[in-house]
Amino acid sequence: MTNQEKIQFLRQYRNVLQKVEMLQKDLIRWRELGEKITPSLTGMPQGGQNVPKVEQSAINICDTQKEISERIRQLSSVYVQILSAIDTVDDISLQNLLHRRYIEGQTFERIAVEMHYSWRHVHRQHKQALSEIKLS
């Protein structure tokens, strides 16, 4: 497996996490829409006009919650796979670098600062760490 294929494999976690975060924002939006009530100032009763909006919002909320649950199950599975892959690297500092990059989503610049390495050294270490990962 090439390093590029390994990177794609390792990026799965962040990709699924981003999808969960987008769905959570959608859920908030559906809840807000469902709870929004526009008052009528005409003085005439107009009962029931908000019902379809509320019902549709409730349906969308349920669908979004189901999708979030499914994505979280997927996220958990991918997380375990990625941690297992990272654990195949013998050097703990390389494991740390991979964890920061692919689980925490840190940039190479941030990793360099936090690990007290140069940016160039982080890239060299990253390349070495990728070459040491053993995927089946």
Side-chain angles (χ1 to χ4, degrees):
M1 182 175 273
T2 67
N3 280 356
Q4 194 59 38
E5 292 169 327
K6 290 177 182 179
I7 289 171
Q8 288 303 110
F9 171 78
L10 293 169
R11 284 184 177 160
Q12 291 179 89
Y13 176 78
R14 298 297 303 172
N15 292 341
V16 176
L17 183 61
Q18 286 176 347
K19 181 65 176 174
V20 169
E21 290 169 352
M22 285 189 309
L23 288 167
Q24 288 172 332
K25 288 178 184 176
D26 287 346
L27 184 61
I28 290 168
R29 184 173 46 88
W30 287 123
R31 285 185 176 149
E32 288 172 351
L33 285 172
E35 294 170 354
K36 183 178 179 182
I37 299 173
T38 306
S40 174
L41 301 176
T42 65
M44 298 298 294
Q46 297 181 4
Q49 284 190 343
N50 287 327
V51 173
K53 179 177 74 171
V54 172
E55 287 176 359
Q56 187 58 49
S57 291
I59 291 168
N60 291 337
I61 287 168
C62 288
D63 290 345
T64 305
Q65 286 174 327
K66 287 177 189 175
E67 180 71 17
I68 289 171
S69 294
E70 179 57 38
R71 294 293 179 154
I72 288 174
R73 280 191 287 279
Q74 181 185 6
L75 186 65
S76 297
S77 173
V78 169
Y79 179 79
V80 169
Q81 292 173 10
I82 303 242
L83 283 184
S84 295
I86 290 173
D87 283 344
T88 65
V89 176
D90 292 330
D91 187 331
I92 191 72
S93 67
L94 297 178
Q95 287 180 9
N96 187 7
L97 187 151
L98 291 170
H99 191 277
R100 288 172 184 265
R101 179 73 177 162
Y102 297 104
I103 299 295
E104 298 175 25
Q106 291 184 357
T107 64
F108 287 119
E109 292 81 6
R110 177 133 179 120
I111 293 168
V113 168
E114 290 187 6
M115 294 183 75
H116 307 288
Y117 293 148
S118 70
W119 180 83
R120 191 172 300 220
H121 185 69
V122 168
H123 277 277
R124 282 192 300 263
Q125 293 284 20
H126 179 254
K127 186 175 180 180
Q128 180 182 348
L130 289 175
S131 68
E132 290 186 19
I133 288 179
K134 297 162 190 74
L135 299 175
S136 5

